[in-house]
Amino acid sequence: DSFRQRVIDGLPKLDEIAQAGIRAGEVPGVAIAVVLQDEVVYVKGFGVRKAGENAAVDPDTAFQLASCSKPIASTVVAALVSAGAVSWDTRIADADPGFRLHDAYPSVEVTVRDLFAHRSGLGLAGGDLGELGFSRDDILRRIRNVEPSRPCAPTATSA
């Protein structure tokens, strides 16, 4: 369709924008992905991971986003809720039977809503194992070793 073609035709402009930003010193590096109608149509890295170093950015570079990731994650999950794939009250253990936190109760009861509301018992840096180079699978496996920093208070759900 014409919208799709306009997007495809505009992709080379992304290269120019990214390279111009790097040349201007706005950022040392950037990774860009474009998803169009459930298809990845563009993915590319530009520049370096850290100013003054040589490690190049590639499409798999993990950037430290801090709290900027929250609106992204909540938007993705809201789309899944709208599509009926999960609800805000879906227990994480029901969606992923291998999910475990340090303590048994939150491992079974914590919901999607609880994770977004910081009611899992994990401290603010509870899932920051990615900064140490762990993969998503490693993080989900190792998070069970992170002792809670406060009591867990998951929402009551009905089975």
Side-chain angles (χ1 to χ4, degrees):
D1 68 14
S2 66
F3 175 73
R4 179 180 178 77
Q5 192 56 51
R6 285 185 292 152
V7 170
I8 300 299
D9 291 347
L11 294 177
K13 184 73 174 166
L14 288 176
D15 288 18
E16 298 170 26
I17 293 168
Q19 291 167 349
I22 291 167
R23 278 193 307 272
E26 295 170 2
V27 293
V30 62
I32 302 172
V34 176
V35 179
L36 178 63
Q37 300 166 337
D38 296 330
E39 178 189 354
V40 176
V41 295
Y42 178 94
V43 61
K44 193 169 180 182
F46 303 87
V48 295
R49 296 173 183 213
K50 187 173 182 180
E53 295 187 6
N54 294 325
V57 171
D58 64 30
D60 295 317
T61 298
F63 293 94
Q64 292 181 351
L65 298 177
S67 290
C68 293
S69 66
K70 290 174 186 165
I72 296 167
S74 60
T75 299
V76 169
V77 172
L80 293 171
V81 169
S82 291
V86 296
S87 81
W88 292 109
D89 295 316
T90 297
R91 291 182 180 112
I92 302 301
D94 291 341
D96 178 3
F99 176 79
R100 299 286 182 280
L101 292 171
H102 188 271
D103 297 333
Y105 177 73
S107 293
V108 174
E109 295 297 327
V110 73
T111 65
V112 172
R113 181 187 315 267
D114 294 327
L115 291 180
F116 279 103
H118 296 286
R119 293 189 300 235
S120 66
L122 290 171
L124 292 178
D128 288 350
L129 296 170
E131 292 179 14
L132 300 174
F134 291 102
S135 70
R136 180 182 352 182
D137 289 340
D138 286 336
I139 292 168
L140 289 172
R141 187 172 37 79
R142 292 172 184 258
I143 203 161
R144 66 193 64 189
N145 298 319
V146 177
E147 292 193 30
S149 65
R150 59 188 170 275
C152 171
T155 43
T157 58
S158 57

